Amino acid sequence: TDDEIYGTNTTESVKVGWRPINSLLIRATYGTAYRAPNLRELFLMAQTGFNTIFDPCFVPEEAIDVFTGAYDPTADPRESYVLENCLATGMNPLTQGFASYSVEQSTGGSLTLKPETSDSWTAGFSWEQEMTNEFELGLGVSYYEVDIDNTIIEPNGQYIVNDCYYTLTGQSAFCDRISRDDSLSIDLLDNGFLNRDNEKARGVDVNFTFSDDLSLGTNVYELTWDVRATRSIERSTLFTDDDGNVDYEDYAGEWGFPSWKGESTMVVEWEKWRLQLRSNFIAAVEQEVAGIDPFSDIYDSQATGTYGDTCLGTPVTCRDVGFAEDYLTHSLSLTYEEAGQWGVTVGVRNIQDKAPPLVDGSEVTSVNNAAIGYGYDMYGRTIYVNAGYKF
């Protein structure tokens, strides 16, 4: 690669395959990649605009007594670590005011950006049985690792605020991008481009296939079964600020990155008919350990620093729900196709009418306590009909 500004860089790719026996392929790949900052990331003229930002360091409205105006800590939905992060940046978290307000935000290119580089490699095998011609059976397994350095990102204003004050490690590379005025309100956010020091993904992909012809009476049914699953081992980000403070987060096993995620598709075909059963699986997830609340009652009589806001009285204790169990849904469809010219499909998605997991909205992104944005079915059982005609 020859870049006018950053000069040259070499990337390479190597693929190796070996068959110790005809039915088994052992394979491995290695490659590097390089991307220099583009014109917008380098030369975008500095510009500012205004947008509404939610500031978690101001006391929320529900924690202020409507009659006396006094602060009520038992009604404060904020986590203790949020209050600690506010204090660490010099902001008193008991400051009263409007938590949502318009903030000036600055965006512009940067000539200090470094080019993105990455290393990736995979290793695995693919096996197909050759013991019999009665059926087909295959199994493929691959380990992958992708390591990206200096990813160029453009954080928005709310992301900067959230990363600073909702960090569970107490370290954030974005706090220095927040400026406050004499009234303690945020008066400027620096949304300019920057390099993320490192981003890594590691895991295992599994693919299983099976096909066979089943004879029942005078009819022959073609059966195929395909299973694809991914095991997430690491999904991490790393920032290091100008003072050398390290902000490392590994999201594997947490919301959005379950330890296992998979899809199974089973199809039976007979003449002009096709019956399909599809199953989707998402493994159990939990919050980061540092973000799990201790069990407490609503009065915090155990002095845990948190208030069990989903239970009342003593000795009843509880903690905010920020976890989900294994989640499995099934969908079934039946298709009739006439000579490849027209066809009709009738199906049911989420046969069991399984709802998404319920969580506490202060812990996990949700709507009406239903976790959203993580692959769960939000519609429930759905019956549909599709028809098509080829002219």
Side-chain angles (χ1 to χ4, degrees), residues 4 8 10 13 15 40 50 53 72 101-102 128 131 139 193-194 234 272-273 280 309 311 328 331 339 353 358 365 368:
E4 182 178 352
T8 60
T10 301
S13 176
K15 300 180 181 181
R40 182 174 183 273
F50 289 83
I53 294 295
D72 180 6
Y101 51 90
S102 182
E128 296 180 355
M131 299 174 289
L139 177 65
F193 295 97
L194 78 157
E234 179 181 358
K272 301 175 182 180
W273 297 90
N280 294 88
D309 56 10
C311 59
L328 178 64
S331 300
D353 197 23
L358 296 178
T365 303
N368 296 329

Side-chain angles (χ1 to χ4, degrees), residues 130-354:
E130 294 185 339
M131 299 174 289
T132 176
N133 293 325
E134 294 296 323
F135 61 88
E136 295 181 0
L137 176 66
L139 177 65
V141 178
S142 294
Y143 170 86
Y144 65 87
E145 181 172 320
V146 181
D147 203 335
I148 306 175
D149 290 325
N150 297 317
T151 306
I152 300 173
I153 64 173
E154 183 182 13
N156 62 43
Q158 193 63 62
Y159 176 88
I160 292 172
V161 172
N162 291 349
D163 192 271
C164 176
Y165 297 117
Y166 288 97
T167 175
L168 295 172
T169 63
Q171 301 288 346
S172 172
F174 294 96
C175 292
D176 292 340
R177 290 175 165 246
I178 302 174
S179 299
R180 293 184 180 271
D181 57 23
D182 294 338
S183 67
L184 301 181
S185 297
I186 300 174
D187 62 350
L188 182 63
L189 291 171
D190 181 2
N191 298 3
F193 295 97
L194 78 157
N195 289 110
R196 173 181 288 157
D197 294 277
N198 181 264
E199 188 171 356
K200 179 179 288 188
R202 294 190 297 126
V204 177
D205 286 333
V206 180
N207 190 10
F208 168 84
T209 58
F210 174 82
S211 63
D212 192 13
D213 291 336
L214 304 177
S215 297
L216 297 176
T218 59
N219 298 320
V220 177
Y221 300 88
E222 298 179 16
L223 171 67
T224 59
W225 185 24
D226 182 82
V227 178
R228 300 182 181 185
T230 298
R231 168 78 164 94
S232 180
I233 300 174
E234 179 181 358
R235 186 63 175 86
S236 63
T237 60
L238 173 67
F239 282 100
T240 305
D241 65 18
D242 294 337
D243 298 325
N245 298 313
V246 175
D247 180 10
Y248 173 81
E249 297 279 358
D250 187 358
Y251 303 99
E254 299 175 12
W255 290 89
F257 303 97
S259 56
W260 279 101
K261 192 171 184 178
E263 179 182 274
S264 167
T265 303
M266 185 175 293
V267 177
V268 178
E269 294 182 285
W270 173 67
E271 295 184 350
K272 301 175 182 180
W273 297 90
R274 186 175 190 268
L275 181 67
Q276 175 179 287
L277 174 65
R278 175 166 293 174
S279 303
N280 294 88
F281 174 75
I282 300 176
V285 290
E286 177 62 281
Q287 296 170 264
E288 186 175 342
V289 175
I292 299 176
D293 290 340
F295 281 89
S296 178
D297 58 38
I298 198 169
Y299 308 108
D300 193 26
S301 60
Q302 298 176 330
T304 62
T306 61
Y307 300 89
D309 56 10
T310 57
C311 59
L312 291 170
T314 56
V316 179
T317 60
C318 59
R319 72 176 177 94
D320 290 345
V321 178
F323 58 89
E325 303 297 333
D326 292 344
Y327 185 83
L328 178 64
T329 58
H330 306 282
S331 300
L332 186 67
S333 66
L334 178 64
T335 301
Y336 178 84
E337 187 172 301
E338 181 65 43
Q341 187 172 17
W342 65 272
V344 177
T345 298
V346 179
V348 182
R349 298 188 185 96
N350 194 353
I351 298 173
Q352 300 165 288
D353 197 23
K354 194 163 187 178

Side-chain angles (χ1 to χ4, degrees), residues 111-131:
L111 293 177
T112 64
L113 290 175
K114 300 176 182 178
E116 297 179 355
T117 59
S118 72
D119 293 87
S120 62
W121 64 277
T122 67
F125 69 89
S126 177
W127 172 79
E128 296 180 355
Q129 73 87 16
E130 294 185 339
M131 299 174 289

Side-chain angles (χ1 to χ4, degrees), residues 18-26 126-131:
W18 173 50
R19 287 189 181 272
I21 56 177
N22 191 55
S23 61
L24 178 64
L25 170 64
I26 299 176
S126 177
W127 172 79
E128 296 180 355
Q129 73 87 16
E130 294 185 339
M131 299 174 289

